[in-house]
């Protein structure tokens, strides 16, 4: 989410250039929502949450809530109102379903990050990573290129990838 915030501040707003629509937040104030059609549904990004919402009832969507530090599945076709989550409609106990629903979102993320790298080069995202790493409360994940490789593998159906930290010990396996 930090990286998307940097992308919004970048001259011509990379999320808009990529094709997102910007609209005011219906819930928490101070940030905007960005929405874009993706794989028979929509991706929505907000400073408090990010997710994929399928267009058909019965399909399972994906939602990450930043304050919870947790991912959920849901069957909603309309985006959650940031800060006003209906936890009766969110589940996280079924790891198989959560993995499957997250892959639609991760597939978008891989596509977007590859587009950013194509537009601005490797140094831009590396600079964002270094800026994030210097924040007092940050917990940096994988460096940008390594993260993109892991996400590409994770987005593939039936990927047997271990947790990212374990994979980092031997990324060629």
């Amino acid at each position: 989410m930090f990286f998307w915030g940097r992308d919004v501040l970048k001259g011509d707003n990379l999320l808009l250039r990529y094709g997102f629509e910007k609209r005011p937040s219906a819930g928490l104030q101070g940030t905007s929502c960005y929405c874009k059609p993706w794989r028979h549904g929509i991706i929505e990004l907000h400073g408090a949450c990010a997710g994929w919402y399928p267009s058909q009832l019965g399909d399972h969507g994906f939602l990450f809530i930043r304050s919870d530090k947790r991912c959920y599945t849901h069957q909603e076709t309309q985006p959650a109102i940031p800060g006003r989550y209906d936890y009766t409609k969110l589940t996280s106990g079924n790891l198989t379903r959560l993995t499957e629903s997250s892959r639609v979102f991760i597939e978008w993320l891989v596509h977007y990050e590859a587009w950013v790298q194509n537009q601005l080069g490797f140094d831009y995202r590396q600079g964002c990573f270094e800026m994030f790493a210097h924040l007092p409360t940050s917990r940096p994940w994988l460096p940008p290129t390594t993260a993109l490789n892991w996400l590409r593998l994770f987005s593939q159906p039936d990927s047997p990838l271990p947790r990212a930290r374990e994979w980092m010990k031997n990324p060629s396996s």
Side-chain angles (χ1 to χ4, degrees):
M1 290 178 165
F2 175 84
F3 287 18
W4 301 327
R6 300 308 308 166
D7 296 351
V8 166
L9 296 174
K10 180 84 178 146
D12 60 349
N13 188 332
L14 293 178
L15 291 177
L16 293 177
R17 188 165 24 144
Y18 182 74
F20 274 90
E21 175 187 327
K22 179 181 177 181
R23 58 183 177 75
S25 173
L28 298 173
Q29 300 306 303
T31 62
S32 299
C33 289
Y34 288 84
C35 189
K36 179 177 178 43
W38 183 260
R39 301 285 185 256
H40 310 293
I42 57 170
I43 294 287
E44 184 173 89
L45 307 176
H46 185 277
C49 59
W52 177 73
Y53 300 85
S55 58
Q56 288 187 327
L57 285 173
D59 287 348
H60 289 277
F62 169 80
L63 179 65
F64 171 74
I65 299 176
R66 183 173 162 178
S67 62
D68 294 354
K69 299 177 184 167
R70 173 164 272 202
C71 298
Y72 299 92
T73 60
H74 60 79
Q75 292 185 329
E76 300 299 303
T77 57
Q78 295 300 309
I81 296 174
R84 297 187 208 150
Y85 310 108
D86 184 350
Y87 287 97
T88 65
K89 296 180 179 181
L90 303 175
T91 61
S92 61
N94 185 326
L95 184 58
T96 300
R97 184 172 291 147
L98 185 59
T99 301
E100 289 171 2
S101 68
S102 71
R103 284 190 167 134
V104 177
F105 185 84
I106 296 300
E107 180 187 4
W108 163 78
L109 182 56
V110 166
H111 190 269
Y112 175 72
E113 287 299 322
W115 178 85
V116 168
Q117 189 170 0
N118 186 49
Q119 297 294 305
L120 300 173
F122 169 79
D123 290 343
Y124 169 71
R125 195 52 96 207
Q126 183 63 33
C128 293
F129 178 78
E130 290 169 8
M131 191 180 307
F132 179 70
H134 285 93
L135 294 176
T137 59
S138 72
R139 295 183 60 201
W141 191 53
L142 302 174
T145 301
T146 306
L148 188 54
N149 289 336
W150 188 88
L151 289 168
R152 276 189 184 115
L153 290 171
F154 179 81
S155 70
Q156 300 305 307
D158 302 320
S159 174
L161 279 179
R163 290 186 171 268
R165 286 187 187 121
E166 292 300 314
W167 181 77
M168 267 297 285
K169 295 174 186 173
N170 187 14
S172 62
S173 60

